[in-house]
Amino acid sequence: DVKVTQSSRYLVKRTGEKVFLECVQDMDHENMFWYRQDPGLGLRLIYFSYDVKMKEKGDIPEGYSVSREKKERFSLILESASTNQTSMYLCASRAGGYGYTFGSGTRLTVV
Amino acid sequence: DQQVKQNSPSLSVQEGRISILNCDYTNSMFDYFLWYKKYPAEGPTFLISISSIKDKNEDGRFTVFLNKSAKHLSLHIVPSQPGDSAVYFCAASGSNNNDMRFGAGTRLTVKP
């Protein structure tokens, strides 16, 4: 069964910390995405990558960066965590076509 | 600026009845539309889709209708079952497909 795995289900970090959210897919997909989900706002695209070492900004990239050194792994980095980055973070991947496969999400709380 | 809007945050229906979830979009360049279902503590899972060349797509109890002139789509679930209780997200994409945008979601509760 194909999978997108996010390394942590829950994280609590302090303001100002550097935070790494990891995502791994086992489907050999070229495209990977990071979204955040907030009540009333749905899923908003932070960054996506269509190939190794390639990245594109989504709608809300401020305060985030990404890394894709290997095809199967796409990391989201919060350079200096702030309380307004408390959210559910969802990673997704896709091959061709329109279907995205999502991970289970990481609920990040910044205190 | 949200390009995909779901104006009803919640919907409650009785088991066996029809559930109708609505979605509006503003970007006329979207040409593919999808519905995702999300249970708590899980990622969204793909449910059904429709391309802009069609106005209806059916898959078992789920039917999606697209009205391009009104920039509106809807998801019908007939008959509704308690296991359908979840948050439903409407999504839309252009031909690029790296620009998929999601609505805010509608929480459906199906009462036994």
Side-chain angles (χ1 to χ4, degrees):
Chain A
D1 198 13
V2 296
K3 285 184 78 171
V4 175
T5 302
Q6 294 184 231
S7 54
S8 302
R9 182 62 68 94
Y10 299 96
L11 276 178
V12 180
K13 297 292 181 180
R14 295 193 180 279
T15 301
E17 274 193 80
K18 189 169 187 176
V19 181
F20 293 85
L21 302 183
E22 305 289 345
C23 175
V24 176
Q25 50 99 359
D26 64 0
M27 298 165 282
D28 202 35
H29 286 172
E30 288 82 16
N31 303 282
M32 297 187 74
F33 307 82
W34 275 106
Y35 288 85
R36 63 179 280 178
Q37 181 194 354
D38 299 288
L41 297 175
L43 280 66
R44 293 181 291 165
L45 180 63
I46 306 171
Y47 266 97
F48 66 94
S49 168
Y50 52 88
D51 202 351
V52 175
K53 298 191 186 294
M54 305 303 288
K55 60 185 180 183
E56 294 282 346
K57 293 179 180 179
D59 294 329
I60 51 164
E62 297 78 17
Y64 303 95
S65 62
V66 290
S67 172
R68 191 154 182 214
E69 296 296 319
K70 293 185 178 181
K71 192 176 187 180
E72 67 270 19
R73 185 180 297 269
F74 191 34
S75 303
L76 180 69
I77 303 157
L78 286 67
E79 297 291 341
S80 177
S82 63
T83 55
N84 63 12
Q85 293 178 308
T86 291
S87 186
M88 169 69 82
Y89 289 87
L90 290 160
C91 175
S93 73
R94 73 168 183 90
Y98 288 89
Y100 285 34
T101 301
F102 282 88
S104 297
T106 296
R107 183 164 293 283
L108 172 68
T109 302
V110 182
V111 297
Chain B
D1 181 30
Q2 279 197 298
Q3 299 181 52
V4 179
K5 299 178 182 179
Q6 293 176 257
N7 293 319
S8 296
S10 64
L11 174 67
S12 181
V13 300
Q14 208 64 37
E15 182 179 6
R17 305 295 289 269
I18 184 171
S19 296
I20 300 176
L21 294 89
N22 293 302
C23 177
D24 298 293
Y25 62 95
T26 58
N27 189 340
S28 58
M29 299 302 291
F30 288 145
D31 61 8
Y32 204 77
F33 305 88
L34 306 91
W35 285 93
Y36 283 81
K37 178 178 179 180
K38 186 180 184 300
Y39 292 116
E42 295 182 12
T45 55
F46 170 74
L47 185 60
I48 193 170
S49 63
I50 187 168
S51 76
S52 60
I53 62 172
K54 294 188 174 183
D55 54 18
K56 178 183 175 181
N57 187 27
E58 193 171 350
D59 183 3
R61 296 185 297 113
F62 302 92
T63 303
V64 57
F65 295 92
L66 176 62
N67 182 335
K68 289 187 291 294
S69 61
K71 294 190 177 69
H72 177 84
L73 64 155
S74 61
L75 174 68
H76 292 209
I77 307 173
V78 182
S80 302
Q81 299 173 354
D84 296 329
S85 297
V87 177
Y88 289 79
F89 290 99
C90 171
S93 176
S95 57
N96 177 303
N97 196 29
N98 282 332
D99 60 350
M100 187 169 292
R101 298 296 188 269
F102 289 79
T106 296
R107 181 177 300 279
L108 173 66
T109 302
V110 181
K111 298 179 178 178

